[in-house]
Amino acid sequence: MKQDDIKSDGSSKLSKFNDIFRSLKAHFFIAIFLTGLACCLTMHVLIINDYEERAVKVKISEMQTQFKILSNRVTKFDYLQNTDESVINAQIDYLSNLNNGRLIVINDDLKVIKDTYKISVGKTIVSNELVNCLRAGSRGTYAKFDKKNGYISMIVPIIESQLSEEGDVAVNSEKNEVVRGAILASVSTKPIHESMILLSRKAAVYEALIILIILGIAAALSRKLIKPFDKITADINEVKAGYTEDSIEIPKLTEAKHIVVAFNALLSRMKVLDDSRQEFVSNVSHELRTPITSMKVLADSLLSMGEGAPPELYRDFMEDIGKEVDREDKIIKDLLTLVRMDKKSPEIEFKHVDIEELIETVLKRIKPIAMQRDIELTFISKRSVTAEIDELKISQVITNLVENAVKYNNDGGSVKVVLDADHQYFTVKIIDNGVGIPEEDVDHVFERFYRVDKSRSREIGGTGLGLAIAKSAVLMHRGTIDVESKLGVGTTFTVKIPLIVAADK
Ligand code: ADP
């Protein structure tokens, strides 16, 4: 294998790994697994700590009972005076062994009279806890758990109850008790610790099992959560490959549903665009073919007449062919104008233009045609306006609209052009009292190749693109173009354009 192959193989493996690691499935899996693991470990720590606390509590309570009984026996057998008392010595040794600890008995002079380790006998022990215990009497039992060193220390006072004056034993009466000494115990918590280790080990086995189950659940759950997205990808790929154009089935998962709804909306928009593109292409072909068909018919008729045809007929036919060529030329020119305007960044040249002057120039050009049909063309300027526009394009808009107002007018009719402005926009109204547009057609007149009366439009040299071009040009200026019309009464087109180019243009 070549060095380059090894490199590209390595990098593709790396990117595959990156893909897997960055996938939603991996994220879900890790999140679910970590949550499960964290719960498991927290539970482990809490259970073990709780066990230790409870075990120590039980141990302390046990020790308290044992040493209280011992303390009663110590006074009963007067052990503090007679340390040879075998019954008590045996019990002390027994308790020391049982608790795996050290027991010390001291008298009220704080002198050690018995030590199960036999190292402190005769010595004096002084500590705050001991002094407090002796002072407090039966309430002075002291117990402390030293977690770090693993033992429980306890001090239990040895109390002798005094007889009351009546001769009864003063039970529960603190005033009648005398503290004779104390039992000091230091007991190892090693057995508790060992049980904890055992418990911890057992728990670890169960935890390993639980973690395995969590792994399984995390894998299954992440796969289930991702499934709708995998299906969406597969469905989108089907659409992309062109196997289907149908909308994608909407899944139940809310997030997936949002994606699919958005995609379906995009799909239907694309379908609309595709349909309108196809319609446009078929319209273009049809429109381009019409003059060619006419020319072919004219040429064929000339040919069929042979050489005997009179020269005037030739001239007539050739003139007709010339007209068809002009029409073809106009359609192509209009189409090119539209295509240029449709471009993502159309060429547009804004400059300050005197709108009054622009309209006057346009009207001057159209006036002779209007005069031919005795149509009165008037211009009313309510105020003089200067605006930042593309002069050529707006001039074409006004030309198209005024030409239409003349074209679709009756002989002897009238066309009025009114210019007005406010502080933001200027408006040009083109009002005619011509044939008007039927109500059902009004909304369609800006569509490409849309003509209310096809034959009439063609007859008078229309391409069906004039209003589409006008609308595109107006939109390029962020303006609006509206139409109001009544059949047989007349039509008014209103163009509204901002005086100043918007900042983001
Ligand atoms: P055309 O080249 O056919 O004039 P346009 O796009 O300029 O194409 O206009 C589209 C159609 O709208 C025309 O065919 C005509 O039927 C209708 N129309 C446009 N302007 C007027 C008007 N001022 N009065 C009546 N009908 C109009």
Side-chain angles (χ1 to χ4, degrees), residues 29 33 209-221:
F29 177 81
F33 176 67
L209 262 170
I210 294 172
I211 286 168
L212 274 178
I213 294 169
I214 292 172
L215 269 172
I217 293 174
L221 221 67

Side-chain angles (χ1 to χ4, degrees), residues 330 334 400-401 404-409 432 434-437 445-447 449-453 457-458 461-468 485 490-491 493:
K330 190 164 186 320
D334 279 359
N400 283 357
L401 295 175
N404 277 353
V406 173
K407 273 196 300 188
Y408 303 102
N409 214 321
D432 69 58
V435 296
I437 305 167
V445 288
F446 295 106
E447 288 169 18
F449 296 117
Y450 193 89
R451 283 168 289 202
V452 177
D453 182 346
S457 160
R458 254 194 220 116
T463 60
L465 292 173
L467 287 182
S485 185
T491 308
F493 280 92

